[in-house]
């Protein structure tokens, strides 16, 4: 089953995609700077969650129904 997006939906998803990319970059940067192992792991976990969000957005933008 393919998803048909309106131009506005596509534009909003592209905007959200860029936000997710920034979050991933920041969390990875914070993880690299953190000295405390628990804090480092927390940032890596958050980066992984944001990556999942980005993957979902990319699936939708490519017309696929994401697995939820």
């Amino acid at each position: 089953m393919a998803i048909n997006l309106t131009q506005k939906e596509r534009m909003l998803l592209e905007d959200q995609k860029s936000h997710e990319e920034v979050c991933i970059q920041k969390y990875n940067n914070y993880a690299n700077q953190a000295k405390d192992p628990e804090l480092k792991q927390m940032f890596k976990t958050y980066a992984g969650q944001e990556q999942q969000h980005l993957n979902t957005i990319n699936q939708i933008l490519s017309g696929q129904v994401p697995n939820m």
Side-chain angles (χ1 to χ4, degrees):
M1 178 176 152
I3 298 176
N4 292 319
L5 299 172
T6 65
Q7 183 178 359
K8 184 171 185 172
E9 290 169 330
R10 184 167 291 283
M11 183 181 69
L12 290 170
L13 284 169
E14 289 289 350
D15 190 43
Q16 186 61 39
K17 180 180 170 178
S18 66
H19 290 284
E20 297 294 344
E21 290 168 340
V22 168
C23 286
I24 293 166
Q25 184 180 30
K26 285 186 176 187
Y27 283 134
N28 283 325
N29 187 32
Y30 297 153
N32 290 334
Q33 293 178 34
K35 303 292 186 224
D36 180 67
E38 288 182 41
L39 190 59
K40 184 181 286 284
Q41 184 56 48
M42 184 185 73
F43 286 132
K44 287 182 180 182
T45 298
Y46 289 160
Q49 290 172 351
E50 299 298 340
Q51 183 64 54
Q52 289 176 349
H53 298 161
L54 180 59
N55 293 346
T56 299
I57 292 170
N58 284 329
Q59 285 179 320
I60 295 169
L61 285 171
S62 69
Q64 300 172 10
V65 177
N67 295 327
M68 302 304 271

